[in-house]
Amino acid sequence: MNIDKIINCVLALSFVFMGSCQKEDAKGGWFVHGVYILQNDELVQAHDHTIEIPSEEGSIELQLVAEEITQIWILNKSDAISVECLTDCSSEDVVVYDSLARSGDGRFWKVPRYIQTIRISAEANNGKRSRTMKFRLTTTSAIPECADMTVRQNGK
């Protein structure tokens, strides 16, 4: 087996087994540069973003720009708050925001970033304390990308 293939396999496995989002560094792990919130036609870094929601029952939808979001991991659960991805990137109706140029092994290709919608739903919070829920979005990127986000629901 070629030494380059062995090194690539070891690097890929280390990316998979790292547990948290980290800023891009030489140690590997998750990278947080690839998931953005689309706000007023501007891209805002989604990682470490806190979404404030009112104490009333309801839901909000956020538009995100990223390669296909493949999973939502609940990091800090609240039984009263939930999050779900509404976009199916294999659908004919999916909206491509732009495409990123990628290269490797002497080849060049474009990878689409999609506008994807997530819905955050919450039951009414009749208590005085706020509730929080933290979740991680992961993408299909060859470089493991994610964004850890927090939802904070106000109390009455």
Side-chain angles (χ1 to χ4, degrees):
M1 189 176 214
N2 185 328
I3 190 73
D4 290 335
K5 288 183 182 178
I6 293 171
I7 290 171
N8 286 338
C9 286
V10 169
L11 286 174
L13 287 173
S14 68
F15 287 143
V16 170
F17 292 114
M18 296 307 252
S20 66
C21 290
Q22 299 175 9
K23 297 289 183 200
E24 185 171 337
D25 64 13
K27 295 180 183 177
W30 293 98
F31 295 87
V32 298
H33 62 277
V35 182
Y36 299 91
I37 300 168
L38 184 59
Q39 289 181 334
N40 303 321
D41 295 324
E42 301 274 330
L43 295 181
V44 176
Q45 180 73 252
H47 185 67
D48 285 338
H49 192 83
T50 299
I51 300 118
E52 299 281 345
I53 59 175
S55 62
E56 294 82 23
E57 180 176 347
S59 63
I60 63 166
E61 293 182 357
L62 290 177
Q63 288 190 315
L64 303 172
V65 172
E67 290 184 39
E68 181 180 359
I69 295 171
T70 56
Q71 192 168 16
I72 300 173
W73 298 358
I74 304 302
L75 302 176
N76 181 11
K77 186 176 179 181
S78 170
D79 291 334
I81 303 172
S82 64
V83 61
E84 64 181 315
C85 187
L86 302 178
T87 305
D88 176 5
C89 290
S90 64
S91 166
E92 292 178 7
D93 299 331
V94 70
V95 177
V96 175
Y97 180 79
D98 63 8
S99 294
L100 303 174
R102 301 274 198 228
S103 65
D105 296 331
R107 298 178 300 134
F108 296 90
W109 64 94
K110 292 196 175 216
V111 176
R113 290 194 305 174
Y114 303 101
I115 297 177
Q116 299 165 77
T117 303
I118 62 169
R119 178 181 295 141
I120 299 167
S121 301
E123 298 172 8
N125 183 1
N126 296 320
K128 293 187 182 209
R129 293 183 143 171
S130 63
R131 295 179 182 149
T132 60
M133 188 261 281
K134 190 170 186 175
F135 62 95
R136 173 173 297 148
L137 302 167
T138 59
T139 72
T140 58
S141 175
I143 302 169
E145 294 176 335
C146 73
D148 289 350
M149 300 177 71
T150 302
V151 177
R152 182 178 301 125
Q153 183 183 32
N154 297 325
K156 288 259 179 194

